[in-house]
Amino acid sequence: MVKWFKPLTGWVKLNANESSTSNPSLVGGEGIYRGDKGDFIFGYYIGYGMAFNTRAEIRAIYDGLHICFTKGLYNVVIESDSQLVINFLSGTSVSGWKWKYYLDRIKHICINGQVKFDHILREGNGSVDGMARLGSGSQNSAQIVVMANLPSMVKGSSTR
């Protein structure tokens, strides 16, 4: 059984994901932030236009981390179901030039806080998967989601 775990006291957890229908296609990124009690803080989704899914996953993590820091959240655990991207970010795999720009931006922004990157199986990332089509179907500006306007298919899995 795959289970989502709360972050340590004083930390937030960002579950980030990309959405796409094929590769390449219209893609988007989404994320859900939860506090150290497992409580839903807020979410986001953003469209990126035509791209490959790996690039969208990296962008979703970058945008999510940027949002964290602008809101004063500096201790962040980022979970993604892309083992490839987590390997890039944790330095266990060398990335290609196609993704270098945003990977470098993520590493640069991480200097401002404490950030940990973890892989989570898709089944454990279900709450953000529920928002998947919002990102790829949206425009290029980030949309912040609060509990009141959280999609009903996400509410049950994001509040545990």
Side-chain angles (χ1 to χ4, degrees), residues 24-118:
S25 68
L26 283 175
V27 297
E30 306 80 35
I32 289 183
Y33 302 86
R34 287 179 272 191
D36 55 20
K37 293 177 180 55
D39 51 317
F40 175 83
I41 300 172
F42 59 90
Y44 72 94
Y45 62 92
I46 184 170
Y48 301 130
M50 289 293 288
F52 286 94
N53 58 2
T54 301
R55 185 171 191 272
E57 188 85 21
I58 294 167
R59 277 285 309 266
I61 290 171
Y62 170 76
D63 289 332
L65 191 56
H66 181 74
I67 292 168
C68 276
F69 287 1
T70 60
K71 293 188 173 287
L73 304 170
Y74 298 107
N75 298 326
V76 185
V77 176
I78 297 176
E79 288 185 336
S80 165
D81 60 13
S82 172
Q83 184 69 64
L84 177 68
V85 172
I86 293 300
N87 289 347
F88 291 159
L89 293 169
S90 60
T92 59
S93 182
V94 178
S95 68
W97 62 269
K98 294 186 265 188
W99 306 300
K100 186 172 177 11
Y101 176 76
Y102 279 103
L103 290 170
D104 286 349
R105 288 180 79 177
I106 290 169
K107 289 176 184 173
H108 178 74
I109 199 171
C110 285
I111 294 169
N112 298 316
Q114 294 185 55
V115 181
K116 184 175 188 239
F117 301 100
D118 286 333

